[in-house]
Amino acid sequence: MTTAVCQTTPLEWWRHLETFNISHQVGFLLENPLDHLPGYFLPWEKLGKNAAQLMASRKLRSEVYKLPLLDFHLLNGQEEYCLAHTLLATIAHCFVWQDNDIPKILPKAVAIPWFHISQYLGLNPVYCYLDCVLAMGRKVDPNSNLEVICPAPGSPHTDWFSLVLIQVELDFAKGIQDIVDIYDSMDSEDERRLILGLKGIENTVRRMQQTTTRMYERLDPAVFYNVLRPFYEGWGAHSKLLPEGLIFEGISDTPLQFVGGSAAQSSTIQVLDAVLGVEHSEDADRYLKQIREYMPAGHREFLYTVETGPSLKTYVQQSQHDGVKTAYNQCLKALVDFRTSHLLVAVDYVLKPSQNKEERQHHSAQGTGGTNFVSFLKSTRGRTVRSVLQLDGDTPVVNKELNINT
Ligand code: HEM
């Protein structure tokens, strides 16, 4: 299901976020993710929720061959489509990556409905951020503790990856009102309120950074690298194991190629870049635009709408109020710090395990889309540093070289 690009003023889009399937409470997360589908879809639900376990005992593939072809038209509404996508994505990835004897054809009982469900959501038929984060968290008690709805391989240890990211999304959601206030105050030229909005954004980014570093609390880098990452992998030119892609039986005789799941598919950081006017290098920008194809359609359209709306950066540059420029710079510095922490997390969870001799032969240290991820992440960080405005009397912000042994 796609939404029309909003033709109204920026304040209208921020006030009507639901047009883009965004919630004022939970941001890009699905507000009420379902735990169950109607009874007719029980075969998907049973297999999807047990896929990781069956994969571990190498019994999943034979179960997939027994799966009936169900009619996806009987799904009703966004929530059911999202859960169906996650169940089928989990089944498909466990099917493909169960062992070293990798199949080249995805059976039609999975391929046909998954392809059409993906089209409805404006997504690609591959395990993506919606599956591991946006539609994955179920409240289990009144304190809002969360549990994953459809476990991935390595669960319960690997659940932490999804749970941390869900919290990052919630951290972002708390800052949505500040962004609305920023556009509101630009409109009314209320610079005092603009500064408050910018301070709110700075705090939001700092919260997101702190949450990101909580990954270390319960996720072992070796488990992430050896169990979760191979499961997330897509198929196509970037994949060493399935470079020609995957045939979707009943859909296409030509193999389809898609990159796999990555937190880079979170819209949060791309929205912050768009609001703050951070411009990336041509190569990085190409990848960041490409991964929008792996975001739900409404979120992709929202990014486009923010990017093509009025520029906060131009407003700040023209402002006579130093406090506005300082507050804007503080947001960028917080985003630089987020990107520094994130780069270090990525090094610990991908680069270092890949340098371990035993693990090196099996998996690669490339990013999800085959990128050299260290130079890519250094570049997005470097461009954020470059966006900081030089103010009279301020010491220039230097792009300190991070010492990473690649
Ligand atoms: C174990 C934890 C994590 C690892 C190993 C990791 C790894 C990576 C890697 C390798 C990339 C390069 C591009 C790609 O492969 O798609 C990347 C990009 C990215 N990741 Fe993560 N990541 C982690 C957690 C997070 C979290 C918690 C967030 C929060 C939203 C996040 C947001 C991003 C973003 C926005 C990009 C795009 C680059 C940028 O905008 O600077 N990642 N990540």
Side-chain angles (χ1 to χ4, degrees):
M1 188 182 63
T2 52
T3 47
V5 174
C6 238
Q7 297 295 336
T8 46
T9 67
L11 281 175
E12 292 305 307
W13 7 291
W14 285 98
R15 289 204 178 110
H16 298 287
L17 288 176
E18 61 286 353
T19 326
F20 300 95
N21 287 325
I22 303 170
S23 142
H24 277 272
Q25 279 70 43
V26 297
F28 296 104
L29 295 171
L30 199 62
E31 210 159 306
N32 295 305
L34 295 178
D35 196 9
H36 297 289
L37 288 179
Y40 170 74
F41 295 102
L42 197 61
W44 292 355
E45 197 172 321
K46 260 174 76 181
L47 198 53
K49 290 185 177 172
N50 291 306
Q53 261 187 338
L54 289 164
M55 177 195 184
S57 54
R58 307 207 166 178
K59 291 187 186 135
L60 187 270
R61 223 171 263 159
S62 52
E63 292 301 316
V64 172
Y65 288 120
K66 291 185 221 156
L67 202 63
L69 176 58
L70 301 181
D71 182 0
F72 69 92
H73 292 103
L74 299 177
L75 289 167
N76 200 357
Q78 184 84 354
E79 283 77 13
E80 287 190 8
Y81 271 81
C82 284
L83 177 55
H85 192 280
T86 303
L87 293 167
L88 293 171
T90 308
I91 296 170
H93 279 238
C94 288
F95 174 84
V96 172
W97 304 126
Q98 174 174 293
D99 51 41
N100 291 334
D101 184 18
I102 297 162
K104 297 195 171 6
I105 302 175
L106 185 66
K108 62 178 178 214
V110 179
I112 294 177
W114 191 29
F115 183 85
H116 292 290
I117 289 165
S118 303
Q119 280 200 322
Y120 174 94
L121 295 169
L123 287 171
N124 287 318
V126 71
Y127 194 92
C128 44
Y129 193 71
L130 173 101
D131 304 306
C132 62
V133 179
L134 301 180
M136 189 51 131
R138 179 170 75 86
K139 277 193 198 141
V140 283
D141 58 32
N143 297 330
S144 299
N145 283 322
L146 295 169
E147 205 174 72
V148 302
I149 289 171
C150 183
S155 177
H157 310 289
T158 49
D159 295 353
W160 192 239
F161 182 75
S162 298
L163 296 175
V164 167
L165 274 152
I166 291 171
Q167 187 55 51
V168 172
E169 295 289 328
L170 290 169
D171 292 339
F172 173 83
K174 285 194 199 131
I176 288 181
Q177 188 53 46
D178 292 311
I179 305 185
V180 178
D181 286 352
I182 285 173
Y183 283 100
D184 218 350
S185 45
M186 276 162 60
D187 214 33
S188 57
E189 300 188 14
D190 179 347
E191 303 214 321
R192 203 187 59 83
R193 190 163 165 222
L194 177 56
I195 292 172
L196 286 178
L198 289 167
K199 287 197 169 143
I201 295 301
E202 181 197 345
N203 291 335
T204 294
V205 180
R206 299 232 174 261
R207 270 197 310 273
M208 292 167 72
Q209 178 194 353
Q210 267 179 5
T211 304
T212 297
T213 58
R214 292 196 60 196
M215 206 57 89
Y216 294 103
E217 286 176 20
R218 296 197 209 162
L219 183 63
D220 179 345
V223 173
F224 174 78
Y225 185 77
N226 292 308
V227 181
L228 202 50
R229 222 170 163 256
F231 162 74
Y232 282 161
E233 185 156 338
W235 30 83
H238 59 278
S239 162
K240 281 193 183 148
L241 298 169
L242 199 46
E244 62 282 12
L246 184 66
I247 292 173
F248 277 56
E249 191 187 15
I251 294 290
S252 162
D253 293 337
T254 314
L256 303 182
Q257 308 202 4
F258 302 110
V259 304
S262 160
Q265 294 162 6
S266 166
S267 306
T268 57
I269 300 295
Q270 293 217 26
V271 167
L272 289 165
D273 278 344
V275 169
L276 296 169
V278 177
E279 285 171 23
H280 291 291
S281 70
E282 216 175 290
D283 279 355
D285 190 59
R286 192 175 316 115
Y287 179 65
L288 291 169
K289 294 265 162 55
Q290 182 201 335
I291 56 175
R292 289 187 187 177
E293 296 304 313
Y294 299 80
M295 295 174 181
H299 301 179
R300 186 162 58 240
E301 284 174 13
F302 182 67
L303 276 169
Y304 175 80
T305 309
V306 178
E307 268 173 355
T308 49
S311 161
L312 169 67
K313 184 176 185 168
T314 308
Y315 184 96
V316 172
Q317 279 168 331
Q318 290 168 356
S319 165
Q320 302 301 315
H321 195 317
D322 278 355
V324 169
K325 294 191 165 103
T326 305
Y328 170 79
N329 274 352
Q330 289 304 115
C331 292
L332 287 165
K333 287 177 190 169
L335 197 52
V336 172
D337 290 344
F338 171 88
R339 284 197 154 113
T340 306
S341 289
H342 169 266
L343 173 52
L344 298 176
V345 168
V347 165
D348 286 337
Y349 280 82
V350 181
L351 186 68
K352 286 188 183 161
S354 78
Q355 289 168 335
N356 174 322
K357 278 199 191 91
E358 280 161 32
E359 286 159 8
R360 190 167 46 196
Q361 346 166 5
H362 302 301
H363 314 300
S364 78
Q366 288 186 328
T368 311
T371 50
N372 172 340
F373 82 85
V374 174
S375 58
F376 167 68
L377 295 177
K378 278 185 174 176
S379 156
T380 55
R381 178 182 171 279
R383 288 298 182 121
T384 317
V385 173
R386 262 171 62 174
S387 303
V388 176
L389 303 175
Q390 182 55 53
L391 303 184
D392 292 343
D394 248 21
T395 359
V397 181
V398 184
N399 186 9
K400 274 189 242 139
E401 187 53 36
L402 297 170
N403 201 5
I404 293 166
N405 232 345
T406 50

